[in-house]
Structure formats: structure tokens, C-alpha cells
Amino acid sequence: MAAKQKKIAIINDLSGFGRCSLSVQIPVISALGVQACPVPTGIFSNHTGYPDYAKKDLTGFMPEYLKKWKKLGLKFDGIYIGYLTSSSQINIIKRFIKDFSDKNTVVVLDPVMGDDGRLYSGYKKSTAKALKELVGLADIITPNATECCFLTDMEYKEKRNEAEWADIAGRLSVSGAQKVVITGINMGSMIGNVCFEKKNKKAGVSIVRKKSAGKTRPGTGDIFSAIMAADAVNKEDFLTSIKKASDFIAKCIVKSDELKIPLSDGVCFEEFLSLKN
Ligand code: PXL
């Protein structure tokens, strides 16, 4: 029998320009052969790393949107949670997980809230605080170093040793998650991803390192977590998936520099998904 095509609900914002969130995740998840079903949390003209942007919060519209999905009787193989535009969306998401999961559904939380030790421009502290409530509901969590610190109330420090990163990943997994990957850690000339996996009550920790391919660019964390989510529903091995995601991003960064794409505009991942050849 042919394998069933999987589908993922992507709860994230739509940013019109700057290659992040839904704009990169829908194509990447589709390219991995998984149906991508967006639940927009808000609409932005462009991401908030630009000096100015227009924003529409969609918290008020989400219940009506999801009522229709419920009427369609939808169930998802994966539920991905990314950028939220209000703390009230936490309760909507808790309900979403109850309504649209079955026993095999994988919940992936990318607690998108900041970088370089700071929250993103316009991202509310109250939302960051409320997001902690979702950590216990996820099977896989993909925070960056900054997000780890906000979630565990630890001081932000990019430079930590392996044991410290492993300890933080372990703390994040206490309330449930089987797998944690702390993404994009600056390790001198290398970029490291700390991978933590609970197996038979034991924890395996490893670090996937790759030579830095160029300056960091917005949206790369979103591409990373989209690959993790699509691979998770396709039952890909965790470390293989992390390696695939970091190789893909490195390739995109190199190409973006080659094509002289401004750093603010993210990575030209389209070059590697296309049907043109
Ligand atoms: O890539 C994370 C992200 C998602 N959504 C919005 C953002 C950012 C990062 O700046 O501004 C609106």
C-alpha cells in the first residue's frame, strides 16, 4: 500500500517581505512532500527586523477560522507552533491541539520570540511569558539560545559549555518533550545545534557542528524548524534531520551572499526548491 501523504497545521504569522515564518515554511514543507495548512496568527507587511512594518493581529479571527476546520473534521499528523502575536493565542492553541490531534500527532514548538539576547521588536514580554505554558505540550522544541533563556528564566549567554547546554535542553524537556534542539549557537567559527533526545528514560545529547557559512540572516530558524517538522511526521531520524536542516541553511546562506541579497531579506532558499530545471 502506498504511504499516506502527511499534513501539518502551521500556526505562524504571514510576513509579506523578508522571507520568514509562513512565507518560507509553506514552500519548504511542501517540498518535503507534506501538505502545509496555515493558521495565520497575524499579518505583517515585512518582518520586524526592518525599521518599520504594518501589523494586523488575527487573534480575534482565529476562533471563526478554526470552527470551519472543525466542521471539516480535520486531523493533522503534525502541529507546528511558531510566532504568536498575543498571549491570548496560547489558549486557542491549547484547544487546537485537543481538537485536531490524534494519538500519532507530533507537536513541534518553535518558541519564536527573539535573538541575540533580546525579544524581537514589538514582541510582548507577556506573550513570551505565556508561551512557557506550551512547552509541556510539545513533542519537539526548537529554540535558539535567546529563547532558551527566556523559557528557563536564565541569564542570556551565547558562550556556554556543552554540559550547560545539555542541562538547559534537559530542563526544557522535563515537562514532556522527547526531543529538544537548541539551534544556531555561535561557537567561534562554527555554528552548533545541541540535540537532546530522551530514549528509554535516558537522555542522549550530541552537538551537530558546521563551519559558519556566512552572517546570520532572518528566517533561517523558521526554515530549520519547518524541515524538522516535516521530517518528524515522515518519521525521519532526529539527528539526520538536524544535519539535513543545517546543511540546507548553510547552502542557502552561501548562495544569498553570492547573489548579494541584503542580510535583512533572509535567504534565497527558492534557488534550491525550484522546478525550473
Ligand atoms: O523569523 C522570526 C520572525 C517571525 N515573524 C516575524 C518576525 C520574525 C523575526 O524578526 O519579525 C513577524
Side-chain angles (χ1 to χ4, degrees):
M1 195 175 75
K4 159 180 162 273
Q5 194 197 34
K6 304 288 174 61
K7 56 180 180 295
I8 297 180
I10 317 174
I11 307 172
N12 210 343
D13 76 274
L14 178 69
S15 287
F17 195 77
R19 293 192 186 90
C20 69
S21 36
L22 285 175
S23 304
V24 301
Q25 293 184 321
I26 296 172
V28 165
I29 288 175
S30 304
L32 286 164
V34 175
Q35 184 185 356
C37 309
V39 181
T41 55
I43 300 179
F44 291 75
S45 53
N46 46 271
H47 67 62
T48 62
Y50 292 98
D52 197 15
Y53 56 90
K55 165 184 170 182
K56 183 107 190 145
D57 172 22
L58 294 180
T59 309
F61 181 56
M62 287 172 81
E64 190 185 336
Y65 189 104
L66 298 177
K67 212 164 138 188
K68 304 301 175 194
W69 275 21
K70 208 160 168 208
K71 214 167 151 184
L72 293 172
L74 301 178
K75 294 283 174 200
F76 293 93
D77 304 285
I79 296 173
Y80 167 91
I81 306 153
Y83 188 103
L84 308 187
T85 57
S86 79
S87 56
S88 319
Q89 290 178 350
I90 307 289
N91 281 333
I92 297 176
I93 291 167
K94 285 184 183 165
R95 182 82 245 162
F96 186 96
I97 295 171
K98 284 206 180 91
D99 286 346
F100 296 100
S101 301
D102 59 29
K103 63 180 189 343
N104 297 314
T105 302
V106 183
V107 177
V108 179
L109 171 67
D110 187 359
V112 180
M113 55 172 95
D115 216 344
D116 300 318
R118 291 185 303 271
L119 292 176
Y120 290 127
S121 157
Y123 193 94
K124 292 196 198 79
K125 268 205 177 115
S126 56
T127 312
K129 204 163 156 225
L131 203 59
K132 289 180 186 169
E133 291 179 40
L134 292 181
V135 170
L137 302 179
D139 299 299
I140 302 176
I141 319 176
T142 63
N144 62 25
T146 301
E147 292 153 354
C148 277
C149 297
F150 277 101
L151 291 176
T152 56
D153 293 314
M154 287 176 74
E155 168 207 8
Y156 172 74
K157 256 190 347 190
E158 188 83 30
K159 290 210 171 7
R160 293 182 188 273
N161 63 36
E162 287 183 22
E164 284 177 295
W165 286 121
D167 176 59
I168 294 176
R171 284 189 207 201
L172 287 172
S173 78
V174 164
S175 50
Q178 290 297 310
K179 296 171 187 169
V180 178
V181 50
I182 306 177
T183 62
I185 302 170
N186 236 315
M187 298 179 163
S189 63
M190 309 291 275
I191 298 291
N193 296 290
V194 176
C195 320
F196 177 100
E197 190 170 9
K198 280 195 254 179
K199 265 188 191 161
N200 308 323
K201 294 194 181 154
K202 280 205 193 128
V205 182
S206 50
I207 301 190
V208 172
R209 284 187 185 78
K210 200 168 167 61
K211 197 162 167 17
S212 168
K215 289 211 173 76
T216 56
R217 288 172 174 267
T220 50
D222 302 334
I223 295 176
F224 190 100
S225 55
I227 294 174
M228 296 301 300
D231 274 0
V233 299
N234 280 332
K235 309 277 179 252
E236 180 58 276
D237 169 70
F238 187 51
L239 284 178
T240 308
S241 173
I242 291 170
K243 201 165 170 311
K244 181 203 288 183
S246 42
D247 287 350
F248 183 72
I249 287 162
K251 196 162 84 170
C252 292
I253 290 177
V254 169
K255 189 74 178 174
S256 303
D257 288 344
E258 214 176 283
L259 298 184
K260 301 197 174 2
I261 290 173
L263 288 179
S264 55
D265 300 357
V267 292
C268 55
F269 68 98
E270 303 88 347
E271 295 296 317
F272 303 108
L273 295 183
S274 107
L275 297 172
K276 67 187 176 189
N277 294 320

